[in-house]
Amino acid sequence: MRGPTGGQVPDTARQQALSDFLRPQNPMSNVVGFGHGVKWTDGQPTGEEAVLVFVTQKVPESMLPERDVVPRQMDDGTPTDVVAVGHVSAQRQRSQQRIPGQRAQESQQGQAEGSMAEQLAPPLLEEMPGLQQAGPQLLTRKLRPCPSGFSVGNVRITAGTLGSVVYDFLPGATTDPPAPGIGVPGKYYILSNNHVLADSNRAGIGSPIVQPGPFDGGVDPQDRIAILDRFVTIQFAPQIPLERHNNVVDAALGTVSFQDATRDQYFSGPPRAWRRKANVAVGDLVKKTGRTTNLTMGRIIAVDATIDVNYGTAGTARFRDQILTTNISAGGDSGSLVTSFDNVALGLLFAGSSVVTVCNHLENVRSLLRVEISEQLA
């Protein structure tokens, strides 16, 4: 295990958390997941490693049956801390009626609430070296070449966010990551979520992807930017019981012409490198540019979270090995690339609530889709 700013739930505590907090039969009331982090007391981080137990809302112990009370510590002695995360759902733009002739935009959700979110809040933009105050931006318009951070979506959905432009592992490479300069990428892709580019497993390979997304006025074929190439299938309940889920990414690719999209993150520039998940730590500052909330910053709360995510009509999916941050997103931001302040790619945003945002580790996205976002490893 790493120090108090990073690491994973010990195996014994993880197994106990799965069996006690997310038990298949009669699960604990309000519990939606758990992860590794630090314990908080009186609104302050103590630095003491803890198993964070995620609940939709905190309820006084006196109002809970004994079976639903989270123990003060795990059987191996690891302390616990209960964290209210609200109702976590996939964050593509929700279906709403558009006013004819206008681009529709969803108002930003409430800022992170509670003592943990307040204490982990990032500094103001003007206090951050190398960044300037960002005013409201219109990221729902059509643009070619399209920067990352703009509205995009399969013709079957509303709208999400174009995360980045990636390319196949270079042919002939013998290292991971491949050595720079070996071979020529066979294809270029836009990267976003499965539920943005593939409609939660339901879209066919080769189906059109438009920019901006349909909710923002994009229509096929005149606004087509890509076609669906491949995606990682998401397991949903009730079709598959939650305890059997093995979801680690919500990710998909659309084949794009080189000249139609760019690796530049709107306002922030291109990712200069990517980071292995072992080096992503609790407390790290992160940022993203997304279709709805534009440029936002936050801090990492957990780096190996297991959490249940609501996908509406598609069902509920349990994800493991996820990054949780303070709230940096709203509906329509799904697919945003999450980076460090110096543009090192860390994760792919896909879900959240008014309190937290949930992201896939970029290393998992990269390995499962077999694509490269940058030749540099940081």
Side-chain angles (χ1 to χ4, degrees):
M1 174 182 291
R2 297 176 61 198
T5 58
Q8 295 187 346
V9 176
D11 288 341
T12 53
R14 174 178 294 280
Q15 291 305 313
Q16 183 186 353
L18 283 169
S19 61
D20 290 357
F21 306 148
L22 297 175
R23 50 185 176 242
Q25 303 298 325
N26 300 315
M28 272 189 165
S29 176
N30 289 332
V31 174
V32 293
F34 64 91
H36 172 271
V38 297
K39 191 173 180 64
W40 287 67
T41 302
D42 297 327
Q44 297 292 331
T46 65
E48 180 185 11
E49 293 194 39
V51 173
L52 304 182
V53 183
F54 305 126
V55 297
T56 54
Q57 60 181 346
K58 286 189 176 182
V59 177
E61 286 188 12
S62 59
M63 297 179 63
L64 291 171
E66 184 177 353
R67 60 177 293 279
D68 286 341
V69 175
V70 175
R72 302 290 182 183
Q73 63 181 27
M74 309 300 286
D75 290 346
D76 67 354
T78 305
T80 63
D81 199 23
V82 178
V83 179
V85 298
H87 295 276
V88 177
S89 60
Q91 286 192 317
R92 78 182 186 198
Q93 172 65 44
R94 294 176 182 174
S95 296
Q96 297 172 357
Q97 183 175 1
R98 277 195 294 119
I99 300 174
Q102 294 185 1
R103 301 286 193 185
Q105 296 188 64
E106 180 182 271
S107 61
Q108 183 172 346
Q109 290 183 356
Q111 296 301 308
E113 300 170 353
S115 57
M116 172 174 283
E118 292 168 0
Q119 293 297 325
L120 287 179
L124 296 175
L125 284 177
E126 56 266 27
E127 297 174 354
M128 293 163 39
L131 289 176
Q132 301 176 5
Q133 184 70 37
Q137 302 292 338
L138 186 62
L139 303 185
T140 59
R141 67 188 188 274
K142 180 177 180 177
L143 195 60
R144 298 292 187 276
C146 185
S148 302
F150 272 67
S151 170
V152 75
N154 191 283
V155 291
R156 296 169 52 99
I157 69 124
T158 50
T161 295
L162 195 165
S164 189
V165 172
V166 296
Y167 48 92
D168 287 316
F169 280 171
L170 297 177
T174 57
T175 60
D176 185 14
I182 298 179
V184 176
K187 286 184 180 180
Y188 293 92
Y189 310 93
I190 56 171
L191 169 67
S192 190
N193 296 142
N194 174 325
H195 75 270
V196 172
L197 301 186
D199 190 26
S200 302
N201 305 337
R202 294 176 288 210
I205 299 300
S207 61
I209 296 163
V210 293
Q211 192 289 310
F215 185 85
D216 298 317
V219 295
D220 189 59
Q222 54 264 47
D223 296 320
R224 183 184 299 186
I225 190 172
I227 60 170
L228 181 62
D229 186 275
R230 60 186 183 269
F231 57 87
V232 179
T233 301
I234 300 172
Q235 296 173 313
F236 290 107
Q239 296 91 335
I240 300 174
L242 286 172
E243 63 270 20
R244 290 169 50 193
H245 286 193
N246 194 34
N247 298 310
V248 290
V249 301
D250 178 343
L253 301 174
T255 306
V256 65
S257 296
F258 183 81
Q259 70 274 11
D260 283 342
T262 171
R263 294 174 65 247
D264 279 353
Q265 306 294 303
Y266 189 75
F267 189 79
S268 294
R272 66 175 184 84
W274 64 276
R275 183 166 297 162
R276 293 194 187 281
K277 58 185 180 181
N279 296 325
V280 178
V282 171
D284 283 354
L285 289 166
V286 295
K287 65 177 180 176
K288 76 95 184 67
T289 300
R291 172 250 181 223
T292 303
T293 59
N294 309 320
L295 177 68
T296 55
M297 291 89 174
R299 284 187 187 272
I300 293 178
I301 298 170
V303 294
D304 71 333
T306 295
I307 193 162
D308 293 343
V309 178
N310 178 12
Y311 278 78
T313 58
T316 299
R318 177 168 295 170
F319 284 80
R320 61 176 179 83
D321 200 21
Q322 302 300 299
I323 301 169
L324 251 67
T325 74
T326 53
N327 177 33
I328 58 172
S329 61
D333 286 330
S334 279
S336 301
L337 186 70
V338 177
T339 72
S340 63
F341 279 5
D342 59 348
N343 289 345
V344 175
L346 308 176
L348 186 67
L349 190 159
F350 79 103
S353 68
S354 62
V355 184
V356 297
T357 291
V358 190
C359 316
N360 309 144
H361 279 281
L362 199 282
E363 180 178 356
N364 290 338
V365 173
R366 175 184 172 274
S367 63
L368 289 172
L369 289 176
R370 299 297 295 171
V371 289
E372 201 67 83
I373 197 167
S374 171
E375 297 82 15
Q376 301 301 315
L377 182 62

